[in-house]
């Protein structure tokens, strides 16, 4: 069973209320530029928060062991470091690792600044990203926090250094820019390759259990979460043949990210550029 928070706060609150016997769900919260946020802590003792940065439409994910308080933060954003740092302290968590899904082009990672605020914190990114970090990840590596863990699945195509983080029971996957909700990351810069991306998504993500919850790095339409089954059936790009997918990706004609010339150099040095 899963709880999915959508854009309608009334329906989300009603659903959460009905399931409160199993889930601890945070009351709907809104602030300038933010969307409804979802909190989860099931019988497995996993504390989970989905957080949103409005300028780049980036999701940051906080996962923690409710007993040991050890935590991991996925894809932190520089502009929301203070928010994340405050939440970590409020919940009494011990942040062990900031794990980036890839070298982002649309925002600067908050990993470097968080390392300055939290003693002993380690940064992590794929060894194929070309970026510096305390931990350079390879396929199959595991990031442990308390009784929980995330396993690295290399999912190149958007960039060479893209990874997906999958939790220990395959009920949640954090797909970065490789797979978005009813979409996928672009492939026209930063080593992008549509054939690689198609193979990565079909062989490394859509082979997970059908009810596995998929959490992307971005969303631009107010969506928060999908499932493997949903994307197998309804993703308008990745339900196509490989040749059709390649043609779609070649003809997107998207403008380059506004911050690419600042974000990429900064992210190659763990977001410490000019800090």
């Amino acid at each position: 069973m899963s709880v999915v928070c959508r854009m309608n706060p009334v329906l989300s609150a009603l659903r959460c209320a009905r399931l409160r016997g199993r889930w601890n769900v945070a009351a709907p919260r809104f602030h300038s530029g933010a969307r409804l946020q979802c909190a989860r802590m099931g019988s497995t003792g996993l504390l989970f928060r989905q957080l949103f940065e409005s300028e780049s439409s980036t999701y940051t994910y906080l996962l923690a062991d409710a007993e040991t308080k050890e935590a991991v933060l996925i894809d932190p954003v520089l502009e929301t470091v203070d928010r994340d740092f405050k939440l970590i302290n409020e919940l009494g968590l011990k942040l062990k690792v900031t794990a980036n899904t890839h070298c982002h082009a649309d925002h600067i990672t908050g990993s470097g600044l968080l390392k300055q605020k939290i003693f002993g914190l380690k940064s992590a990114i794929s060894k194929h990203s070309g970026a510096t970090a305390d931990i350079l990840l390879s396929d199959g590596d595991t990031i442990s926090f308390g009784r929980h863990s995330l396993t690295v699945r290399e999912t190149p195509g958007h960039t060479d250094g893209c990874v997906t983080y999958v939790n220990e029971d395959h009920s949640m996957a954090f797909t970065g820019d490789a797979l978005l909700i009813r979409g996928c990351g672009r492939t026209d810069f930063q080593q992008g390759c549509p054939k690689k991306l198609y193979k990565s998504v079909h062989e490394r993500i859509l082979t997970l259990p059908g009810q596995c919850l998929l959490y992307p790095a971005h969303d631009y339409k107010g969506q928060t979460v999908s499932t493997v089954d949903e994307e197998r059936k309804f993703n308008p790009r990745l339900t196509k043949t490989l040749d059709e997918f390649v043609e779609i990706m070649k003809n997107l004609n998207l403008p380059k990210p506004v911050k690419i010339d600042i974000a990429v150099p900064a992210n190659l040095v763990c977001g410490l550029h000019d800090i």
Side-chain angles (χ1 to χ4, degrees):
M1 181 183 295
S2 62
V3 174
V4 178
C5 288
R6 300 292 187 184
M7 280 296 290
N8 187 322
V10 176
L11 292 178
S12 296
L14 288 173
R15 170 179 279 182
C16 290
R18 287 200 302 268
L19 298 174
R20 219 169 256 163
R22 180 174 177 183
W23 299 87
N24 294 325
V25 181
R29 296 185 298 163
F30 293 92
H31 56 81
S32 178
R35 297 181 186 147
L36 185 63
Q37 300 181 29
C38 188
R40 165 187 173 187
M41 189 166 69
S43 58
T44 59
L46 176 69
L47 183 149
F48 172 67
R49 298 289 187 273
Q50 181 181 41
L51 305 162
F52 184 70
E53 192 278 315
S54 60
E55 184 179 357
S56 61
S57 296
T58 299
Y59 285 121
T60 296
Y61 299 99
L62 177 64
L63 297 90
D65 185 301
E67 183 176 328
T68 68
K69 302 295 186 181
E70 291 184 342
V72 172
L73 192 66
I74 299 174
D75 285 336
V77 179
L78 181 64
E79 286 78 5
T80 49
V81 161
D82 288 342
R83 174 203 67 189
D84 299 346
F85 183 66
K86 179 182 178 184
L87 178 60
I88 289 163
N89 285 330
E90 286 175 343
L91 298 177
L93 303 179
K94 300 172 241 180
L95 188 62
K96 291 182 60 181
V97 177
T98 58
N100 285 287
T101 54
H102 63 293
C103 184
H104 296 273
D106 54 2
H107 69 270
I108 296 175
T109 178
S111 293
L113 186 55
L114 281 165
K115 277 169 57 66
Q116 292 183 350
K117 291 176 175 287
I118 301 174
F119 178 78
L121 176 63
K122 304 293 185 184
S123 59
I125 197 168
S126 168
K127 69 177 184 179
H128 302 297
S129 66
T132 58
D134 300 304
I135 304 169
L136 295 177
L137 299 165
S138 298
D139 193 67
D141 284 352
T142 298
I143 300 172
S144 298
F145 52 105
R147 298 163 296 169
H148 301 282
S149 63
L150 297 171
T151 299
V152 175
R153 292 194 177 196
E154 291 178 351
T155 48
H158 172 62
T159 73
D160 280 348
C162 285
V163 299
T164 292
Y165 297 112
V166 183
N167 76 331
E168 66 272 11
D169 64 0
H170 289 189
S171 64
M172 306 169 76
F174 302 87
T175 59
D177 284 17
L179 179 61
L180 306 178
I181 299 172
R182 309 299 190 266
C184 63
R186 61 195 294 175
T187 57
D188 58 338
F189 63 83
Q190 277 189 293
Q191 318 98 40
C193 174
K195 289 183 179 180
K196 279 186 182 179
L197 182 58
Y198 190 89
K199 179 182 173 78
S200 291
V201 172
H202 279 276
E203 294 183 4
R204 308 308 309 277
I205 300 175
L206 296 184
T207 52
L208 288 163
Q211 293 306 305
C212 176
L213 297 173
L214 301 178
Y215 292 97
H218 305 280
D219 190 80
Y220 310 97
K221 298 180 180 180
Q223 303 163 113
T224 58
V225 64
S226 185
T227 67
V228 168
D229 271 346
E230 285 184 34
E231 297 308 313
R232 285 175 186 157
K233 295 175 184 176
F234 305 124
N235 192 296
R237 297 178 186 174
L238 289 153
T239 50
K240 305 294 186 184
T241 66
L242 174 58
D243 289 341
E244 290 171 332
F245 177 76
V246 170
E247 283 304 306
I248 290 171
M249 300 308 290
K250 284 182 177 178
N251 292 286
L252 292 179
N253 299 317
L254 298 171
K256 74 174 186 177
V258 174
K259 289 188 175 182
I260 186 171
D261 295 329
I262 300 171
V264 171
N267 290 333
L268 288 173
V269 291
C270 195
L272 289 170
H273 180 67
D274 286 341
I275 291 180

